[in-house]
Amino acid sequence: PIAPVAATPGRIRDLSVEVGRPIYWLGPRDNTVYELQRTSQDRIYVRYLPPTANVGTKQAAYALVGTYPVPKAYDVLKGLAKSSGETSFVAPKGGIAVYSNSRPTNVYLAYPGSDVQIEVYDPTPGNARTLVASGRVVPVGS
């Protein structure tokens, strides 16, 4: 595990190599602190903080991208998309994206053949969907 720390894109790329799978993010942003966290369940988070925010803050006021190990993640989300109260859409590059109608702040994304599930969170409802649909959710280093 890695407690929340400020990290450079290079450090995030290095962790991706270390864990042997992509870590997704929204790409570089000016005037932003990248907060990196890895849980004991091997969930990896990249959060976008303004310079005035403290690393490790509990406030859910900032965009975040989580990358999770999920076997057959694409199939898992296809199944979830059939559930009542869920909305799905085709994401760029052949992905599937799913979100709960009651929580439009969180969109889950996966690609065919991948064992990685991506979560995009934005505190403003609809923004996470826009970020996913825009194709801005990419592996660090791509």
Side-chain angles (χ1 to χ4, degrees), residues 63-119:
L64 172 143
V65 178
T67 305
Y68 315 137
V70 175
K72 299 182 180 178
Y74 185 85
D75 294 336
V76 169
L77 288 184
K78 277 180 64 176
L80 180 62
K82 296 175 185 172
S83 301
S84 176
E86 301 292 326
T87 296
S88 66
F89 60 97
V90 175
K93 300 177 185 160
I96 184 171
V98 181
Y99 63 93
S100 170
N101 296 332
S102 64
R103 284 194 74 169
T105 54
N106 300 67
V107 176
Y108 297 88
L109 169 65
Y111 293 97
S114 175
D115 290 329
V116 171
Q117 181 176 292
I118 305 137
E119 177 182 11

Side-chain angles (χ1 to χ4, degrees):
I2 300 170
V5 295
T8 64
R11 171 63 183 111
I12 300 167
R13 268 191 308 275
D14 290 347
L15 181 59
S16 178
V17 170
E18 183 183 316
V19 299
R21 67 176 183 279
I23 296 173
Y24 286 80
W25 73 330
L26 301 171
R29 288 189 179 173
D30 290 335
N31 207 28
T32 298
V33 174
Y34 307 113
E35 181 190 80
L36 175 65
Q37 180 180 8
R38 182 181 184 190
T39 70
S40 58
Q41 295 81 29
D42 210 18
R43 291 176 170 227
I44 298 170
Y45 298 95
V46 177
R47 188 162 60 154
Y48 288 75
L49 301 176
T52 55
N54 292 323
V55 170
T57 181
K58 301 293 183 200
Q59 288 184 312
Y62 311 106
L64 172 143
V65 178
T67 305
Y68 315 137
V70 175
K72 299 182 180 178
Y74 185 85
D75 294 336
V76 169
L77 288 184
K78 277 180 64 176
L80 180 62
K82 296 175 185 172
S83 301
S84 176
E86 301 292 326
T87 296
S88 66
F89 60 97
V90 175
K93 300 177 185 160
I96 184 171
V98 181
Y99 63 93
S100 170
N101 296 332
S102 64
R103 284 194 74 169
T105 54
N106 300 67
V107 176
Y108 297 88
L109 169 65
Y111 293 97
S114 175
D115 290 329
V116 171
Q117 181 176 292
I118 305 137
E119 177 182 11
V120 178
Y121 167 81
D122 190 281
T124 303
N127 279 5
R129 180 187 169 113
T130 299
L131 288 167
V132 170
S134 74
R136 289 185 50 205
V137 182
V138 296
V140 174
S142 65

